[in-house]
Amino acid sequence: LTFSSMDAWSIILFVLGYLFLALVALRLLASLYRIICVYFLCSRRDLHARAGASWAVITGATDGIGKAYAFELAEQKFDIFLVSRTASKLFETKKEILEKFPGVNVASYAFDFTAPTHDDYQPLLNELAKIEVGVLVNNVGMAIDCPEAMHEVEGGIAALARISTCNSLPVIILSSSVLEQMVKRKKGVIINIASAAALTEMAYWNVYSAGKRFMLHLSNILRQEYSPHGITVQCITPMGVSTKLKIVDTIAFFEPSATKFARSAPKTVGVIGETTGYFAHQIQAEMVGLMPTWLADKLMAIFNLKLRASIHAKRANKA
């Protein structure tokens, strides 16, 4: 078969077919890079060299991923500044870190991240201004207890306001605060812990999914604004991790402990700007990413409605 023996439409279809195959191949290669290269082939970057200072600030630091990050960064010989709501849990977490890593300095500050104004934050910002922050981990967040249409979310408008505030305001205020000193020394690392809920428009998770999408979007913008100043901004979008926010039970391979997750995710800092933080999660994310958007959204909505029915049935049985 030669081009001379083909009519014009056949040539066009022939070329379009090859272009389509080339695009599919490129997407598959990009997916393989984000799974294989990022998690197995790329060398780990020197986090201290990128941070340029000894203190690591972690929000939501007394449970789950935040606590695991605190221990992981302490093991890497960063001084740790813990921020969380409950003073007693901060005391216990600080004690555990000092027992395991006696050479590390640990400070803490009790703060409720549902506070809605800059004035509420000012005492915390004053404390952060006293230290050289090399790494900021914006981890604090709140989830909806059960997937629901927005007007039916448990706790009503007050709950929606708390969730929205907690999932969006801290990353703005704390990042803006530490960026000032990071720009001056032309080094620093900001790690924003979002969620896989940011990757699709998750019906029935409304303000939670939208808040995590905001964090992802803001991270991408900050990376453009501050990479010329030597600052690394990364957004992590984990799938299922064994934490107190977990609602869905999944296969163990796809659901690491918080400790296992926090050993994996920091290795990707400086390697890639946006990732799930764990290779098995990245497999899941790439599979969803290869679907047409309408199909991924539809399947997610069906899954969430089934999850909602399951949670309601369990509650009814308990009652």
Side-chain angles (χ1 to χ4, degrees):
L1 183 66
T2 63
F3 282 118
S4 60
S5 64
M6 300 168 64
D7 59 35
W9 282 111
S10 296
I11 293 172
I12 292 171
L13 291 173
F14 182 83
V15 172
L16 288 176
Y18 271 93
L19 285 174
F20 174 76
L21 290 174
L23 288 172
V24 170
L26 284 173
R27 289 195 67 180
L28 289 173
L29 285 172
S31 293
L32 287 172
Y33 169 80
R34 290 189 290 264
I35 297 169
I36 304 299
C37 291
V38 169
Y39 290 97
F40 297 104
L41 300 181
C42 292
S43 59
R44 184 170 187 162
R45 305 301 192 256
D46 186 338
L47 198 53
H48 278 277
R50 287 181 173 270
S54 64
W55 283 93
V57 178
I58 303 100
T59 65
T62 57
D63 289 294
I65 292 174
K67 184 175 181 179
Y69 257 88
F71 274 79
E72 177 64 21
L73 292 171
E75 186 171 350
Q76 294 185 39
K77 303 190 185 306
F78 280 95
D79 296 322
I80 304 299
F81 193 107
L82 307 167
V83 190
S84 200
R85 182 175 57 183
T86 308
S88 60
K89 294 175 79 171
L90 282 167
F91 177 81
E92 288 301 319
T93 303
K94 178 178 178 178
K95 181 181 175 184
E96 290 173 32
I97 294 173
L98 288 172
E99 286 174 353
K100 192 167 184 179
F101 309 105
V104 168
N105 294 311
V106 183
S108 64
Y109 192 93
F111 185 75
D112 183 355
F113 282 103
T114 62
T117 71
H118 173 262
D119 289 342
D120 295 317
Y121 276 81
Q122 195 57 58
L124 171 59
L125 301 183
N126 292 341
E127 291 302 310
L128 294 182
K130 296 175 184 177
I131 61 174
E132 286 290 312
V133 180
V135 179
L136 170 64
V137 182
N138 285 307
N139 167 71
V140 69
M142 290 179 68
I144 294 169
D145 292 331
C146 174
E148 299 282 4
M150 192 163 71
H151 75 286
E152 295 178 325
V153 167
E154 294 175 21
I157 293 173
L160 293 172
R162 287 194 302 273
I163 293 167
S164 181
T165 299
C166 187
N167 289 340
S168 57
L169 195 59
V171 66
I172 298 171
I173 293 180
L174 296 185
S175 296
S176 180
S177 174
V178 302
L179 278 166
E180 186 174 352
Q181 56 171 272
M182 289 179 174
V183 167
K184 287 178 182 176
R185 70 170 178 267
K186 297 189 180 300
K187 286 186 178 180
V189 176
I190 295 177
I191 302 170
N192 295 326
I193 310 294
S195 163
L199 303 178
T200 59
E201 296 170 358
M202 287 183 67
Y204 306 103
W205 289 98
N206 38 76
V207 293
Y208 176 73
S209 178
K212 295 303 182 180
R213 182 67 182 182
F214 166 79
M215 184 178 278
L216 174 60
H217 192 66
L218 180 64
S219 299
N220 293 336
I221 292 170
L222 293 181
R223 191 177 308 115
Q224 294 181 61
E225 291 179 355
Y226 290 97
S227 60
H229 298 279
I231 297 165
T232 302
V233 179
Q234 184 187 54
C235 190
I236 300 291
T237 55
M239 296 277 183
V241 177
S242 292
T243 72
K244 71 175 186 178
L245 287 182
K246 185 193 79 167
I247 292 177
V248 184
D249 292 321
T250 58
I251 300 169
F253 174 76
F254 292 109
E255 189 180 291
S257 66
T259 299
K260 195 171 183 180
F261 179 85
R263 288 209 172 276
S264 167
K267 295 176 182 177
T268 67
V269 175
V271 175
I272 192 166
E274 176 194 331
T275 185
T276 60
Y278 191 68
F279 80 97
H281 290 181
Q282 198 62 38
I283 293 171
Q284 292 175 292
E286 296 301 336
M287 290 173 65
V288 173
L290 289 172
M291 293 182 190
T293 302
W294 66 267
L295 178 59
D297 290 344
K298 184 69 174 176
L299 292 175
M300 191 62 66
I302 292 170
F303 173 82
N304 288 332
L305 284 173
K306 288 183 177 179
L307 175 61
R308 175 191 177 199
S310 172
I311 292 173
H312 283 207
K314 286 179 181 178
R315 289 176 177 177
N317 289 336
K318 234 179 183 181

